[in-house]
Amino acid sequence: MDSTEGISHTGFHAGSSPAKDDTQAAAQVARRRVHTMSATLYPTLPHREPVAAPAARLVLKTDGTSRGLLDGAWWPRSRDLLSELPALTDVLDPLWGRITRIAVNPEHWLVIPREIPVSGHIVKVGWFTSEIDPHKLLLLSYGTGRFDLLVIPPGTGAESAARLLEAASDHDGPSLTASALIAAEAARHAVAATDQALGPYEAWSTRAAPRRCPRPSPDRPVRQGRPAD
């Protein structure tokens, strides 16, 4: 008789052994631990809702009042038309009809794009050099007509901006141009500043020799659009 005849072949099929099975089981446990650690070390970031843009700072004349030279005032947060105009049209479109075109004077707008995407449509942009007030924004709405807004410089203080917003929307006030309103507020601020008593350091500074300031080089606006028709 063969010496191996009485030995059972159970568990001795090709490629398997008790020791190998234990090794495979240990490897699977190790892989599960690695996967668990990976899930812990690199968690899925929570979904964040988009942040809404700040609402436009705007005051308009009430219905039924005489239009005069201005229909209201707008106080943008920057001179970036691409970022500022969408919030403005969100307010004006339901009131005046869809705004389709705007025009500005390039004196205070360094970059003037040809078109600006807003909620649901595109606004075409034009510019005038002398035909439009540097402190005014001209808007054309579909089927309604033309509107003119005073543009309050973004860096204006809150108190001055409040006075300008009220002056531009007051139908009983004087009919001043946008630049005239800005100049009047600047003169008022200058008078208020000169009425204050000078401190010792300020008084000494006024008697000191004047400093020579470098001659500024005016920034030329980047006009991507074309002159408005």
Side-chain angles (χ1 to χ4, degrees):
M1 178 184 291
D2 192 309
S3 60
T4 61
E5 184 178 351
I7 300 176
S8 173
H9 290 273
T10 304
F12 283 85
H13 52 81
S16 176
S17 68
K20 189 171 184 179
D21 291 342
D22 293 341
T23 302
Q24 291 178 348
Q28 291 177 358
V29 172
R31 282 195 294 269
R32 285 196 295 268
R33 288 178 179 174
V34 171
H35 293 162
T36 302
M37 292 177 63
S38 298
T40 303
L41 293 175
Y42 303 99
T44 302
L45 296 177
H47 176 69
R48 295 184 178 180
E49 296 295 332
V51 179
R57 299 182 294 190
L58 175 71
V59 173
L60 303 176
K61 287 185 176 179
T62 57
D63 294 337
T65 61
S66 59
R67 288 189 57 181
L69 299 178
L70 296 169
D71 297 287
W74 176 42
W75 185 20
R77 293 174 173 82
S78 70
R79 288 290 185 180
D80 184 358
L81 282 172
L82 281 171
S83 63
E84 296 290 341
L85 190 65
L88 180 63
T89 57
D90 283 347
V91 178
L92 296 182
D93 282 359
L95 299 174
W96 292 348
R98 175 177 292 186
I99 302 299
T100 56
R101 292 178 179 270
I102 68 168
V104 297
N105 187 309
E107 179 175 337
H108 299 298
W109 303 95
L110 297 182
V111 177
I112 303 176
R114 297 177 182 178
E115 297 179 341
I116 299 178
V118 298
S119 300
H121 63 286
I122 300 294
V123 175
K124 296 185 180 298
V125 183
W127 50 269
F128 293 96
T129 53
S130 59
E131 294 85 352
I132 189 172
D133 192 303
H135 294 285
K136 188 171 70 174
L137 174 68
L138 186 153
L139 306 100
L140 299 176
S141 69
Y142 181 78
T144 304
R146 166 180 169 167
F147 300 92
D148 299 275
L149 294 178
L150 166 70
V151 178
I152 301 173
T156 304
E159 294 183 359
S160 293
R163 287 191 292 266
L164 288 168
L165 288 167
E166 182 179 2
S169 59
D170 184 8
H171 64 280
D172 293 329
S175 296
L176 298 178
T177 64
S179 288
L181 285 173
I182 296 293
E185 180 59 32
R188 176 178 179 175
H189 180 74
V191 170
T194 56
D195 287 343
Q196 298 176 359
L198 296 178
Y201 176 78
E202 294 173 319
W204 177 85
S205 297
T206 58
R207 293 193 296 270
R211 294 177 297 175
R212 182 179 298 275
C213 299
R215 183 177 180 180
S217 57
D219 295 328
R220 298 184 62 86
V222 180
R223 302 169 186 171
Q224 297 179 357
R226 60 184 181 83
D229 297 331

